[in-house]
Amino acid sequence: MKKFLLLLTVLLIFGCKNENSTLNDNGVEAPTKELTANEIVNKSIAVSGGENFKRSSLKFEFRDTYYQALRKNHEFLLVRLTVKNNDSVFDMLSNVGFERYNNETFVKLEDSIANKYEASVNSVHYFSVLPYGLNDEAVNKTGLGSETIKGKEYHKIKVTFKAEGGGEDHQDIFIYWINKRTFKVDYLAYSYNEEDGVGMRFREAYNERMVNSLRFVDYNNYKPEDASIPLENLGKAFEANALKLVSQIELENVEVQLINN
């Protein structure tokens, strides 16, 4: 019996070893290196489609508007097509800038108007393929530790943008909750400061589907009922049912083709 108890004690001691630790060269328990914000985002990109994003042609519809994205290596073309009556308006954003066409006629726009349309097109495409894009040169990433939402553990990542290359909305701030087990983005929050208002939103991903190896989700879109809640605390506010559902972000008729390099 004494031998059995001794063996059981030894097993319990080793079984309770810190899961976040390893043994160093001297056989002494040492804490495992914490993942950096870049490493977390890289893992999230990998499980959501990885390098296939860089050679993809995407098509989808959002709120009765048609979108298409073509990416090949470091080149990209983002398109929004709006059809009204017999007119087709093409908004196109690429490496060379933004252009608008009415049917086949080029439309000359004031810079301020063009910047507004460019930001609108880029926003929809940006959210459609998260977390791809979080490694762009203009992105700054900071780890905010861990947080639990609905019983699941998340890496919490803050994203800001450099003024140069960050676009018209470079002052926006984003928070991403990346599942520690799956490394998928389950929640995100952002603050915005635009001509038509200032505010915050919290998005809950649902309806996950893989389309030709790329991950797509829809979102429940919430806003805080108390505008004084800090952006970083919107996850806790969601947990406490202190957010109001204002809309749903749904991508329809998603198609993906992978392009050979």
Side-chain angles (χ1 to χ4, degrees):
M1 176 63 73
K2 289 182 179 180
K3 290 183 179 180
F4 173 76
L5 291 175
L6 178 61
L7 177 61
L8 180 61
T9 302
V10 170
L11 290 174
L12 287 173
I13 290 173
F14 280 94
C16 293
K17 182 174 68 69
N18 189 339
E19 293 182 356
N20 293 321
S21 64
T22 58
L23 297 181
N24 62 20
D25 294 337
N26 297 320
V28 178
E29 189 174 303
T32 301
K33 178 185 175 183
E34 291 290 334
L35 293 175
T36 66
N38 281 331
E39 289 170 337
I40 293 167
V41 167
N42 287 341
K43 286 177 176 290
S44 186
I45 290 174
V47 301
S48 302
E51 293 297 308
N52 283 341
F53 279 116
K54 296 181 180 179
R55 58 182 192 96
S56 62
S57 174
L58 316 179
K59 298 178 182 179
F60 61 89
E61 294 175 36
F62 174 58
R63 293 178 178 169
D64 298 322
T65 301
Y66 173 84
Y67 291 83
Q68 184 169 1
L70 178 64
R71 297 178 178 89
K72 188 173 182 181
N73 298 321
H74 298 292
E75 297 181 351
F76 69 90
L77 173 63
L78 308 180
V79 178
R80 175 176 65 188
L81 169 60
T82 306
V83 179
K84 187 174 182 179
N85 298 326
N86 293 323
D87 289 329
S88 297
V89 177
F90 295 86
D91 291 321
M92 299 189 294
L93 176 62
S94 69
N95 299 77
V96 299
F98 176 83
E99 294 180 331
R100 166 170 279 208
Y101 289 85
N102 190 338
N103 297 319
E104 297 181 358
T105 304
F106 174 74
V107 179
K108 177 65 176 177
L109 299 171
E110 296 291 335
D111 288 345
S112 59
I113 300 299
N115 290 339
K116 182 177 180 180
Y117 289 147
E118 175 181 333
S120 177
V121 171
N122 187 61
S123 176
V124 174
H125 282 286
Y126 175 84
F127 283 117
S128 72
V129 292
L130 283 173
Y132 184 75
L134 296 186
N135 277 341
D136 290 349
E137 292 183 4
V139 173
N140 301 310
K141 297 184 285 290
T142 306
L144 298 180
S146 302
E147 189 167 308
T148 301
I149 299 179
K150 291 190 173 181
K152 296 181 180 179
E153 288 290 321
Y154 290 92
H155 296 289
K156 194 173 177 181
I157 306 294
K158 179 179 180 180
V159 168
T160 59
F161 301 90
K162 301 174 185 176
E164 183 177 354
E168 184 181 50
D169 300 325
H170 67 270
Q171 294 180 332
D172 292 354
I173 300 173
F174 287 76
I175 308 292
Y176 294 90
W177 285 264
I178 299 178
N179 190 297
K180 284 191 173 184
R181 185 179 63 83
T182 66
F183 283 93
K184 296 175 181 178
V185 176
D186 288 346
Y187 305 97
L188 66 97
Y190 64 95
S191 63
Y192 61 90
N193 188 346
E194 301 173 353
E195 291 181 1
D196 56 352
V198 177
M200 297 181 293
R201 291 291 184 269
F202 180 89
R203 291 188 178 183
E204 173 193 24
Y206 72 95
N207 190 27
E208 178 190 69
R209 63 271 197 203
M210 300 297 290
V211 182
N212 203 3
S213 80
L214 302 188
R215 178 180 184 256
F216 293 87
V217 298
D218 298 326
Y219 295 101
N220 287 319
N221 194 28
Y222 298 86
K223 71 174 183 179
E225 296 188 291
D226 179 0
S228 67
I229 298 175
L231 180 69
E232 290 84 354
N233 291 348
L234 288 188
K236 293 182 176 64
F238 174 74
E239 184 84 36
N241 296 318
L243 302 180
K244 178 181 179 182
L245 180 65
V246 292
S247 66
Q248 290 182 305
I249 312 297
E250 297 181 336
L251 304 184
E252 299 179 317
N253 300 321
V254 180
E255 298 180 19
V256 176
Q257 290 185 328
L258 299 182
I259 303 168
N260 294 325
N261 291 324

